[in-house]
Each structure stands twice: as C-alpha cells, then as structure tokens.
C-alpha cells in the first residue's frame, strides 16, 4: 500500500461506485501502478498537478504519495466526491476537488505554476482535451508537461511518424510543440471494467518554442482538412481551405499530388504560413 487509506476495491464497494460507460470511466485499481504512472511525470514536489477524471482517487493517491505539492482534481461525476473527500482528509491542504466538466472549467484560476497535467483521461473527452492543451493562442502554455493515459491506438497516433496510417492530426499537433513518447503500456485487466483495448501512457514535454513557425488555429484547420480525406491528393482534400491551394502547396515545398501522410510536420507548418498570408 502507498498510504493508510483502504484498497480501492473497498473504496468502490463502500461508495457503490460502478463505472459509468456514458462518462468513459475505467477505474485503475492497482495503487502500485498508479504510483508508477505518477512517477512518469518526474519530480512533483514543487508542482501543482492538474488531474482530470480522478474517479475514486487511485491516481490521485499516487500523485500525492509521490510528493505532488498540490493536486487539483476535476471530477464530473458527483458520485465520486465522497471518496475523494476521504483522500483530501488523508493529505491535508494538498488536494482540491472540483465537481465540474473539464471542458468548461477555467482551471487557471485554481493553479499556481509550475503545473503538470497527469490524468487517466475519460475515453470520451481525452482527444479533445489534448488538442485544447496543444493549441492555446499563446505558447508556452500554463503547463510544463502532460502525462496522459489513452487507448493504445490513440497513444500510437500521438507519437507516429510520417508515412504510416497512424500519422495524422494528433502526431502533428503533439510533436510540433512537444517531445512526445510512450512511457508505459497497460493491459485491459488493469482496469475495472476491463476495456476491450490496451492502454498506454504518453508523456509530452513542452518545448519553449514550437519546432517550426505557424499559427496554431491555421495549422489545426489545414491539418484537419488534409487528414479528413487522407486518401485523396492534397490539392483535392485542401481545396476548401483556399482557392489558391495548389500555389500554396508549391510555395511550401509540397507536391500537390502528395497525400497527407507523406508530408512531415515542417511541410504542414510551411503550408499554414502560406495560407495565413
């Protein structure tokens, strides 16, 4: 055990916390695993940690046991609040729990830098949250790193290289502004209920400046259009972006007959700069 609180199975039974499929919940019950995930975020002793979807508090306890200065846990499911209140009592003044939708909450009002984000993200909002964290108007963002659990397939898309089927919008937005790597893999049996897929933890360390110059909103729009019809040539899939898209592609050093998966991040950033002119 990593602390004096009851095992998670007892916590779930005591509070009748059956995971809800509608909320994308899969609870991680092995506290040794949750502590290991927390360690992937590095030394947390001088950091505030943002956790989305703590559920019954398994990862929360791992973060606190590993020395996080303070944890802000955002939980949409009010059923989990009594269990999280018990965790807060065991770690006085180090855990703040907010019952809110992470997609709607302004977390900055509750955090003091430096900030690291560590979460076993609910499956139904994980990708949207990641894209939001990667595309703020100003860079660097409020967070130093993201240590996030996804379905293994999503994790592979984040670290993918050009030329393969996994390469797409997530790879470009992640690797444009961060160093991204898979640091852990977990089998379905580690969760309750066991999902039908394997999971993986991705660590994204922000860069102080993006690898290549581009406007985040324009790059997001170009990449979304390019990979929405990834089997088409870029001059076809991007024709809705600009009436001069073929000229923009040539100016960016991209062949108009190429497909999206063949273009490296640098090429898409160059194209975004051309489109923004």
């Amino acid at each position: 055990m990593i602390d004096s609180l009851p095992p998670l199975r007892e916590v779930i039974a005591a509070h009748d916390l059956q995971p809800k499929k509608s909320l994308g919940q899969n609870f991680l019950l092995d506290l040794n695993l949750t502590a290991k995930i927390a360690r992937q975020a590095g030394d947390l002793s001088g950091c505030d940690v943002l956790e989305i979807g703590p559920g019954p508090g398994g990862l929360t306890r791992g973060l606190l046991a590993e020395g996080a200065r303070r944890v802000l846990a955002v939980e949409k499911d009010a059923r989990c609040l009594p269990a999280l209140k018990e965790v807060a009592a065991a770690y006085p003044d180090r855990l703040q729990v907010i019952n809110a939708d992470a997609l709607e909450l302004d977390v900055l009002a509750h955090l003091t830098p430096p900030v690291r984000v560590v979460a076993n993200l609910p499956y139904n909002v994980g990708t949207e949250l990641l894209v939001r964290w990667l595309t703020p108007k100003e860079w660097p963002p409020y967070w130093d790193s993201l240590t996030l659990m996804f379905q293994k397939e999503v994790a592979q898309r984040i670290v993918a290289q050009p030329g393969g089927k996994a390469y797409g919008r997530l790879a470009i937005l992640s690797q444009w502004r961060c160093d991204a790597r898979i640091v852990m893999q977990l089998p379905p049996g580690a969760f309750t209920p066991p999902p039908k897929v394997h999971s993986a933890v991705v660590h994204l360390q922000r860069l102080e400046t993006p690898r290549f110059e581009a406007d985040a909103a324009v790059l997001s729009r170009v990449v979304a259009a390019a990979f929405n019809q990834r089997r088409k040539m870029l001059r076809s899939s991007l024709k809705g972006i600009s009436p001069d898209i073929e000229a923009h592609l040539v100016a960016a050093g991209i062949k108009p007959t190429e497909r999206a998966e063949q273009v490296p991040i640098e090429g898409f950033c160059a194209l975004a700069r051309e489109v923004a002119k």
Side-chain angles (χ1 to χ4, degrees):
M1 292 292 291
I2 60 173
D3 55 31
S4 60
L5 291 163
L8 278 170
R9 289 190 187 279
E10 291 182 16
V11 173
I12 288 171
H15 295 283
D16 193 23
L17 290 176
Q18 297 307 313
K20 281 189 177 180
K21 192 172 183 179
S22 62
L23 295 175
Q25 290 175 330
N26 294 88
F27 296 155
L28 188 58
L29 300 187
D30 187 333
L31 290 169
N32 291 317
L33 271 179
T34 64
K36 187 176 180 182
I37 293 167
R39 287 195 290 274
Q40 303 306 315
D43 182 3
L44 301 175
S45 59
C47 301
D48 276 14
V49 176
L50 171 63
E51 183 189 6
I52 306 297
L59 180 56
T60 315
R61 289 165 63 175
L63 293 165
L64 292 164
E66 288 298 316
R69 177 177 71 191
R70 189 171 156 276
V71 175
L72 173 66
V74 181
E75 178 53 66
K76 185 177 181 179
D77 186 357
R79 299 178 309 144
C80 297
L81 300 183
L84 293 168
K85 187 176 180 180
E86 293 172 2
V87 180
Y91 292 93
D93 302 320
R94 292 177 58 202
L95 173 61
Q96 180 182 3
V97 181
I98 298 181
N99 181 203
D101 185 334
L103 294 172
E104 299 174 1
L105 179 68
D106 176 15
V107 297
L108 270 176
H110 306 277
L111 293 165
T112 302
V115 175
R116 298 185 187 181
V117 182
V118 188
N120 171 16
L121 291 174
Y123 281 169
N124 53 356
V125 296
T127 300
E128 183 174 352
L129 282 169
L130 174 62
V131 171
R132 289 189 185 192
W133 285 324
L134 292 171
T135 55
K137 290 182 179 179
E138 296 185 5
W139 195 268
Y142 69 84
W143 49 267
D144 289 351
S145 66
L146 308 172
T147 306
L148 307 172
M149 189 183 304
F150 295 99
Q151 296 179 40
K152 186 178 178 182
E153 178 188 348
V154 176
Q156 289 171 331
R157 284 161 50 198
I158 291 168
V159 302
Q161 297 299 306
K165 290 182 179 179
Y167 181 69
R169 180 178 70 134
L170 287 185
I172 291 164
L173 295 180
S174 299
Q175 297 173 46
W176 171 46
R177 286 176 154 176
C178 299
D179 285 326
R181 58 194 177 93
I182 293 175
V183 293
M184 277 181 69
Q185 298 191 38
L186 295 93
F191 300 87
T192 296
K196 295 179 181 178
V197 295
H198 282 66
S199 300
V201 178
V202 182
H203 181 75
L204 298 103
Q205 184 67 46
R206 80 174 192 199
L207 303 172
E208 286 304 305
T209 56
R211 296 185 196 281
F212 310 105
E213 185 184 342
D215 178 271
V218 177
L219 179 62
S220 295
R221 189 159 55 94
V222 167
V223 171
F227 286 96
N228 191 42
Q229 303 180 70
R230 60 190 300 149
R231 293 184 180 180
K232 290 189 175 183
M233 292 182 286
L234 282 170
R235 68 183 179 196
S236 298
S237 61
L238 293 174
K239 62 185 178 182
I241 293 286
S242 166
D244 302 316
I245 194 61
E246 196 152 344
H248 290 323
L249 286 162
V250 172
I254 301 169
K255 295 177 183 177
T257 54
E258 283 190 297
R259 293 194 302 273
E261 66 188 37
Q262 297 172 288
V263 180
I265 297 170
E266 182 177 6
F268 277 111
C269 289
L271 179 58
R273 294 195 299 270
E274 290 295 326
V275 169
K277 285 181 180 177

